[in-house]
Amino acid sequence: MGEMEQMKKEAEALKTQIEAARKAAHDTDMASAASGVAPAPRVQLKTRRTLKGHLAKIYAMHWCTDNRLMVSASQDGKLLIWDSHTGNKVNAVPLKSSWVMTCAYAPSGNLVASGGLDNMCTVYNLKTPVIKTVKELDAHTGYLSCARFLSDTEVLTASGDTTCALWDLETGKQKTVFLNHVGDCMCLSLSPDMNSFVSGACDSLAKLWDIRDGQCKQTFLGHTSDINAISFYPGGNAIITGSDDCTCKMYDLRADQELITYQDAALNSGVTSLALSMSGRLIFAGYDDFNCNIWDSLKGEKVGVLSGHDNRVSCTGVPPDGMCVCTGSWDSFLKIWN
Amino acid sequence: MSSNPSLTTMKRTVEQLKLEASVERIKVSQAAADLQQYCLQNAGKDALLFGVPIGSKLFREPRSCALLFIQLSDDAYISISKN
């Protein structure tokens, strides 16, 4: 038997072993385990602010850690920084490339980043008298789908070239490249302790990575199409994913498997984005059908809907203090709800 | 060691699977219990679940307030405010 054949057999045996180990740990399912939990109240949120200013589809938004400012990115070629309390625009950053797909706010509030079909992540300093480009992170060979700051000196990116990367902002170079996905990486989420992150890709897999040693530690199966959105659960032990297969799923990191699928026969649009309320109980998932559905994360039931956009909801975000939820849409508006 | 690229890729796949197979797994009942506990412990602070605390109306629409003073006599006025 050739070496290749042997390797293939070994791989199959390992996959079977992993599946068996997961089954052995599956002594109950989440819905039964949560049967004793009181149902979440019917959630009816109202639009408190509609932020108007972008002239084209909004693709991304991200809250600042001060719970007040937020950055949004639109294919009108601008990043806008908003004061969510007043609804005013605080800053506008013109982009070299208008094909933007992601934006991020640094935890310090000093920097923002954007990226997209230009394959680059561009970092801007908001605190200089005139907003300056600090660095252009240029090494990916595919589009930039997601970027997140670890600090003012490190950025994590996910790319259509199937890799994720950790960058040093002082040198502008990649410190670590995370290789394992076989499809475009579409999203990433940092763990609360900042030691790891999860990525979702077009290979329908979610992967957990150790930031420092660059290794893929765990792979989560179950989705049947591209994973467009991913988020760590607040405690750090679980992740939620949203996919083109019209479902969201919760995976537990310590049980190494899917715990629950959030789906509804009436829903046949892909999930574009998701955000969690600060206790993790509520999942706000944006769909292609112009709505944002609210799910009870423990019981798997739909408990509300945010309707108001006239086009696809492309991004959602809850600030760290959990006081509201923001939705951004291809209709060019952002709405703040609570 | 073969220089065949697909063999190298296959070896890497096997190594990765070995790593993932060695993960220590806890039972789903334990995982579910811990997640529930986290949610319920933090539910009180979750404004989207139970409503924004009364004192904090950060995103509520600013209300305009008009004050009317009506003179009752030379030195007595009452004020009426309209919200």
Side-chain angles (χ1 to χ4, degrees):
Chain A
M1 193 190 296
E3 216 185 331
M4 193 62 170
E5 274 309 303
Q6 244 179 320
M7 300 254 102
K8 278 189 184 165
K9 279 212 154 180
E10 209 181 336
E12 287 313 305
L14 285 164
K15 284 184 192 167
T16 309
Q17 190 188 322
I18 293 173
E19 215 186 297
R22 283 173 173 163
K23 264 216 169 94
H26 194 93
D27 59 344
T28 184
D29 65 78
M30 188 70 169
S32 324
S35 55
V37 176
R42 182 93 202 147
V43 181
Q44 281 170 320
L45 306 181
K46 294 204 171 72
T47 304
R48 302 295 174 188
R49 296 277 184 278
T50 298
L51 305 179
K52 303 180 192 199
H54 279 301
L55 304 171
K57 296 174 175 172
I58 292 173
Y59 275 81
M61 62 81 46
H62 194 216
W63 283 95
C64 179
T65 49
D66 70 0
N67 300 304
R68 180 169 181 147
L69 298 178
M70 31 177 269
V71 60
S72 61
S74 161
Q75 293 203 345
D76 63 5
K78 288 219 171 28
L79 290 186
L80 290 179
I81 315 290
W82 306 85
D83 176 334
S84 62
H85 292 183
T86 60
N88 292 334
K89 294 176 242 335
V90 171
N91 271 315
V93 184
L95 303 174
K96 259 195 207 166
S97 162
S98 62
W99 303 111
V100 65
M101 294 174 70
T102 184
C103 61
Y105 226 122
S108 64
N110 295 329
L111 310 171
V112 287
S114 69
L117 295 182
D118 58 356
N119 298 0
M120 290 197 310
C121 178
T122 309
V123 179
Y124 309 87
N125 188 335
L126 295 178
K127 303 294 182 172
T128 45
V130 175
I131 295 176
K132 277 184 2 182
T133 301
V134 164
K135 270 285 181 301
E136 282 176 343
L137 306 175
D138 190 359
H140 278 302
T141 54
Y143 57 82
L144 204 84
S145 52
C146 192
R148 285 293 177 259
F149 286 89
L150 277 88
S151 66
D152 279 5
T153 53
E154 286 183 312
V155 171
L156 261 180
T157 55
S159 169
D161 66 10
T162 76
T163 72
C164 295
L166 176 69
W167 303 76
D168 179 332
L169 284 183
E170 281 159 359
T171 61
K173 299 269 181 278
Q174 289 178 333
K175 285 207 284 205
T176 315
V177 182
F178 303 91
L179 299 163
N180 207 256
H181 276 297
V182 294
D184 303 12
C185 292
M186 297 304 293
C187 50
L188 69 89
S189 174
L190 262 176
S191 67
D193 69 6
M194 309 261 269
N195 290 330
S196 48
F197 74 96
V198 284
S199 60
C202 292
D203 54 14
S204 58
L205 303 173
K207 287 179 181 285
L208 173 74
W209 307 85
D210 181 312
I211 291 184
R212 299 305 155 195
D213 72 19
Q215 288 261 317
C216 168
K217 300 297 191 194
Q218 284 171 256
T219 298
F220 302 97
L221 299 87
H223 279 298
T224 53
S225 188
D226 307 357
I227 294 178
N228 297 316
I230 198 164
S231 179
F232 256 95
Y233 210 73
N237 286 334
I239 61 172
I240 310 285
T241 52
S243 165
D244 271 349
D245 66 13
C246 313
T247 73
C248 293
K249 286 176 188 288
M250 176 196 279
Y251 295 93
D252 187 278
L253 301 185
R254 296 175 308 157
D256 186 44
Q257 59 189 278
E258 178 186 326
L259 290 191
I260 201 167
T261 297
Y262 307 95
Q263 66 187 343
D264 187 314
L267 282 173
N268 52 13
S269 318
V271 178
T272 60
S273 52
L274 62 90
L276 297 173
S277 71
M278 66 156 326
S279 69
R281 188 67 191 267
L282 300 176
I283 301 171
F284 295 89
Y287 289 73
D288 285 343
D289 69 359
F290 309 177
N291 287 330
C292 179
N293 289 311
I294 310 175
W295 298 90
D296 176 338
S297 67
L298 297 181
K299 287 184 168 286
E301 296 159 352
K302 206 172 96 164
V303 294
V305 66
L306 302 177
S307 307
H309 284 293
D310 296 322
N311 206 323
R312 178 187 289 198
V313 173
S314 54
C315 48
T316 45
V318 171
D321 66 4
M323 284 290 157
C324 63
V325 55
C326 179
T327 51
S329 166
W330 279 11
D331 68 8
S332 81
F333 302 124
L334 294 143
K335 284 179 184 287
I336 300 193
W337 315 71
N338 70 7
Chain B
M1 173 89 148
S2 171
S3 58
N4 179 348
S6 56
L7 193 60
T8 318
T9 310
M10 201 61 215
K11 280 191 177 159
R12 261 197 236 125
T13 304
V14 170
E15 287 313 308
Q16 179 62 34
L17 283 168
K18 279 188 188 159
L19 183 77
E20 293 183 19
S22 68
V23 163
E24 289 210 9
R25 296 170 184 83
I26 66 170
K27 295 269 193 252
V28 169
S29 53
Q30 176 70 60
D34 290 351
L35 286 171
Q36 279 168 33
Q37 191 183 39
Y38 187 93
C39 271
L40 298 175
Q41 264 173 1
N42 289 282
K45 296 183 272 176
D46 193 336
L48 293 170
L49 197 51
F50 292 119
V52 176
I54 311 237
S56 153
K57 294 199 173 192
L58 287 177
F59 292 105
R60 299 304 148 106
E61 281 311 312
R63 289 162 161 214
S64 59
C65 185
L67 277 176
L68 285 172
F69 283 90
I70 296 174
Q71 186 171 18
L72 297 177
S73 66
D74 276 352
D75 54 14
Y77 291 85
I78 56 169
S79 70
I80 302 167
S81 67
K82 178 190 186 306
N83 277 354

